[in-house]
Amino acid sequence: MHEIRHYFFDMDDTLYDQMEPFRMSIIREGMWQDKSRAEFDQLFKRVRYHSDELWDEYCAGTMTLEQTRRLRLSLAFAEYGITVSDEQADRLQEAYEREQQSIQPSEGIIPLLQAIRERGHDIGIITNGPVAHQRRKIDALGVERYVNEGWTFVSDAVGIAKPDPRLFDAVNRATGTKPEHCIYIGDNWRNDIVGACEAGWRCVWLNNRGRSPETEHRPLHECVDIDDLTRKLLSVNHI
């Protein structure tokens, strides 16, 4: 039996709803204004899918961040018969980043972080992406006051990205923690669940967009929303 002492969170689509700034950026750029939230959600899933598919190329240095962002948008929109030029993709990305400056934590996240802290446990963040971009989002969310000092890890700063289990190993070394005492909470099967499991961590899957598992890895819990996550996560003591 191993006590869970250290709770690490993914950020994008875990601590906040990533689809909302995406939706607003498209609307402000004059695209898809008349679509429903469900349609935006489907488009967003496709953008995330292509982003995940292109991530290895970005990490390998065969594709720049700019190229990755352009291609994930053009491929997703192409599935709906819409051609997106590089210029349009760049404008959408700029609008998306502006919208992310006013993001808010998902409802229930702050009480969850407070409850974990009140139990005397540690909190960290592990997120993929460019350092400045991810730091701006962390600052906008205002959640770092609940995070242990020095326990925020951005892949580009570490030099290793999820799902590479070496990122989780690096976090263990940097924080003086052991895998058997760590749990990771994230929404992305490939990056979060596979990465954490391969590193020997326990994990909880926040499956808030109704995705299907991609491998045989087994998270401790699958949760449909933040309320469900809170109930299940706070029931975890020993594993």
Side-chain angles (χ1 to χ4, degrees):
M1 298 285 284
H2 297 292
E3 181 184 3
I4 296 300
R5 305 171 186 168
H6 322 295
Y7 291 69
F8 289 85
F9 288 81
D10 170 52
M11 181 170 63
D12 297 314
D13 241 18
T14 297
L15 295 180
Y16 76 99
D17 181 0
Q18 197 174 19
M19 201 271 284
E20 186 58 20
F22 172 80
R23 184 179 74 89
M24 291 306 301
S25 65
I26 292 176
I27 290 174
R28 295 191 194 283
E29 286 301 308
M31 301 173 67
W32 269 43
Q33 296 96 323
D34 300 327
K35 301 296 183 180
S36 68
R37 284 182 178 270
E39 289 172 305
F40 272 108
D41 188 62
Q42 288 302 313
L43 174 62
F44 179 67
K45 285 181 181 179
R46 298 310 298 165
V47 173
R48 288 291 301 272
Y49 168 81
H50 290 296
S51 183
D52 290 343
E53 290 295 305
L54 296 167
W55 187 251
D56 287 344
E57 294 184 57
Y58 166 66
C59 290
T62 58
M63 184 175 292
T64 67
L65 182 61
E66 182 180 65
Q67 290 171 329
T68 303
R69 287 169 167 173
R70 286 173 173 175
L71 191 53
R72 68 181 181 181
L73 287 168
S74 63
L75 288 172
F77 273 99
E79 295 179 18
Y80 294 85
I82 300 172
T83 299
V84 174
S85 67
D86 286 350
E87 182 181 358
Q88 286 176 308
D90 290 344
R91 289 203 309 269
L92 281 173
Q93 180 63 36
E94 290 171 3
Y96 183 44
E97 291 184 22
R98 287 195 299 272
E99 293 297 327
Q100 287 180 324
Q101 293 175 16
S102 57
I103 56 176
Q104 298 292 320
S106 295
E107 185 175 356
I109 279 292
I110 296 302
L112 172 57
L113 297 179
Q114 290 173 331
I116 293 171
R117 272 300 191 193
E118 287 170 0
R119 294 183 176 204
H121 299 307
D122 298 309
I123 295 176
I125 294 174
I126 306 173
T127 180
N128 276 354
V131 177
H133 184 57
Q134 297 302 89
R135 288 297 325 181
R136 283 194 296 270
K137 288 187 282 187
I138 292 170
D139 292 342
L141 289 171
V143 297
E144 205 162 23
R145 64 184 182 273
Y146 302 103
V147 176
N148 289 38
E149 185 176 356
W151 282 37
T152 297
F153 298 89
V154 181
S155 64
D156 277 16
V158 180
I160 311 168
K162 298 179 295 182
D164 193 328
R166 293 179 300 162
L167 174 57
F168 296 88
D169 296 340
V171 169
N172 282 140
R173 290 193 299 271
T175 58
T177 57
K178 295 182 179 180
E180 59 265 29
H181 297 303
C182 295
I183 192 165
Y184 190 63
I185 301 96
D187 72 290
N188 187 291
W189 183 272
R190 182 183 307 182
N191 288 341
D192 301 329
I193 303 308
V194 172
C197 285
E198 291 291 327
W201 290 33
R202 297 299 188 268
C203 55
V204 173
W205 187 26
L206 178 58
N207 188 16
N208 51 4
R209 301 203 184 280
R211 298 183 177 97
S212 298
E214 300 174 26
T215 64
E216 296 300 316
H217 295 83
R218 299 185 66 180
L220 180 64
H221 291 301
E222 177 182 344
C223 305
V224 298
D225 54 31
I226 300 300
D227 286 343
D228 189 23
L229 174 66
T230 298
R231 286 192 299 271
K232 290 174 179 174
L233 197 59
L234 296 183
S235 71
V236 175
N237 292 309
H238 293 79
I239 302 172

